[in-house]
Amino acid sequence: DTKPNMAKEIADEFDVARTYTDAAALIDDPQVNAIVIVTPTHVHRDHVIAAAASPKRSAYRWPKSAR
């Protein structure tokens, strides 16, 4: 999430150890094994391309506005 406070709040709720405000940092993190992309339309394409270019498994969902 680009909003650090919101990311922290949601991470705490679901017991997630780390949060990211930058997709590249998440994709490059060696401790991340797989990526699920559920980002807004305006950044979705870039995130899907970046994740697909990495050696990690990735999955995505089309944004609702693209359906």
Side-chain angles (χ1 to χ4, degrees):
D1 199 307
T2 57
K3 300 174 184 170
N5 292 340
M6 183 176 284
K8 173 85 170 97
E9 182 180 317
I10 293 168
D12 289 347
E13 181 179 345
F14 291 98
D15 196 29
V16 174
R18 291 183 300 281
T19 61
Y20 303 85
T21 56
D22 175 47
L26 179 140
I27 292 167
D28 293 340
D29 186 334
Q31 296 209 12
V32 173
N33 297 317
I35 303 159
V36 177
I37 302 164
V38 289
T39 52
T41 305
H42 70 281
V43 294
H44 193 75
R45 179 180 179 268
D46 293 339
H47 292 169
V48 169
I49 291 169
S54 81
K56 298 177 183 184
R57 294 180 183 251
S58 60
Y60 65 92
R61 292 193 48 141
W62 287 106
K64 287 183 180 182
S65 63
R67 292 184 194 157

